[in-house]
Amino acid sequence: MHSDDDANSDASSACSERSYSSRNGSIPTYMRQTEDVAEVLNRCASSNWSERKEGLLGLQNLLKNQRTLSRVELKRLCEIFTRMFADPHGKVFSMFLETLVDFIQVHKDDLQDWLFVLLTQLLKKMGADLLGSVQAKVQKALDVTRESFPNDLQFNILMRFTHLFFKWWNLVSFYHEIVLLENVDPDEREDGAKAIFV
């Protein structure tokens, strides 16, 4: 049984959608009542920046309405989000960070397998040269991540990340030594090579 207020609300909503539609040609995906998750994910994965942005708006709408994603949808979205950490378009990247916060808050119990990627990518972005407003969004996503996952799991990931960094750094240092040896005369090169491998 519907009240008059419900009917008026529905009519008002329909009128506002029609007026938006008449002004702009069609109702954007993110304004529809029932979102097609596959369509939102396809837009998020698009090569066109404006479609990715529209997909993120649709995803924000789904997440704000507490629409949980299936296991398959989550896997696909994590793959898309992993790529979005390197999105070249500033507006898309900024919106991605906002959406990421909502995504973590709604699906934190389902994201432990993706936490290594999430945490390490956010830490890498903290060290990047970003606009202050974008840096604040990265910090917010990092704060929400820290609050949303078990501390011991985060600590293990940080130790793994640090270990990988030092392995990489040792490799770079070793390579640097080899390059330096290229510029040394042959007699000194042999002595230097012995020093490296001892």
Side-chain angles (χ1 to χ4, degrees):
M1 185 157 132
H2 295 289
S3 71
D4 287 341
D5 289 339
D6 289 339
N8 290 339
S9 175
D10 290 342
S12 172
S13 176
C15 288
S16 67
E17 285 179 3
R18 271 197 300 272
S19 70
Y20 184 92
S21 178
S22 65
R23 282 187 311 230
N24 298 311
S26 66
I27 300 169
T29 304
Y30 62 89
M31 288 185 68
R32 294 185 197 148
Q33 289 293 326
T34 57
E35 285 291 345
D36 179 18
V37 176
E39 183 180 340
V40 168
L41 295 179
N42 286 339
R43 287 184 183 278
C44 286
S46 173
S47 60
N48 180 294
W49 74 268
S50 62
E51 284 189 20
R52 288 195 308 276
K53 186 177 171 190
E54 187 176 320
L56 288 168
L57 286 170
L59 186 58
Q60 283 179 355
N61 188 41
L62 289 172
L63 295 169
K64 286 188 188 321
N65 290 322
Q66 298 296 312
R67 164 62 162 85
T68 56
L69 303 175
S70 72
R71 194 164 189 72
V72 173
E73 292 165 344
L74 270 174
K75 184 177 186 296
R76 180 153 184 242
L77 187 56
C78 286
E79 291 167 358
I80 292 167
F81 274 7
T82 299
R83 288 191 303 273
M84 279 193 171
F85 273 107
D87 199 294
H89 198 279
K91 288 182 181 178
V92 174
F93 184 68
S94 183
M95 184 168 291
F96 158 66
L97 291 170
E98 293 169 9
T99 308
L100 183 63
V101 168
D102 296 335
F103 178 60
I104 293 166
Q105 289 172 331
V106 172
H107 286 285
K108 62 186 172 192
D109 295 333
D110 306 313
L111 296 177
Q112 292 192 2
D113 291 342
W114 190 60
L115 184 57
F116 181 83
V117 172
L118 173 63
L119 197 52
T120 57
Q121 290 297 322
L122 287 171
L123 289 170
K124 287 177 189 176
K125 289 297 179 184
M126 284 300 292
D129 186 24
L130 301 171
L131 293 173
S133 60
V134 176
Q135 193 73 34
K137 290 178 184 183
V138 172
Q139 183 63 55
K140 179 168 180 162
L142 197 54
D143 291 343
V144 169
T145 300
R146 188 175 29 248
E147 295 163 3
S148 299
F149 296 96
N151 291 334
D152 59 331
L153 185 58
Q154 292 180 65
F155 181 77
N156 289 337
I157 288 170
L158 289 174
M159 290 298 100
R160 210 167 112 205
F161 178 64
T162 305
H163 178 73
L164 290 174
F165 173 77
F166 282 113
K167 281 175 81 171
W168 174 83
W169 183 251
N170 287 336
L171 182 63
V172 168
S173 297
F174 180 72
Y175 179 72
H176 180 69
E177 291 293 327
I178 290 173
V179 170
L180 286 177
L181 288 176
E182 289 293 318
N183 298 323
V184 177
D185 79 285
D187 292 334
E188 291 178 26
R189 186 180 303 158
E190 188 174 317
D191 293 338
K194 286 178 187 172
I196 290 174
F197 292 110
V198 172

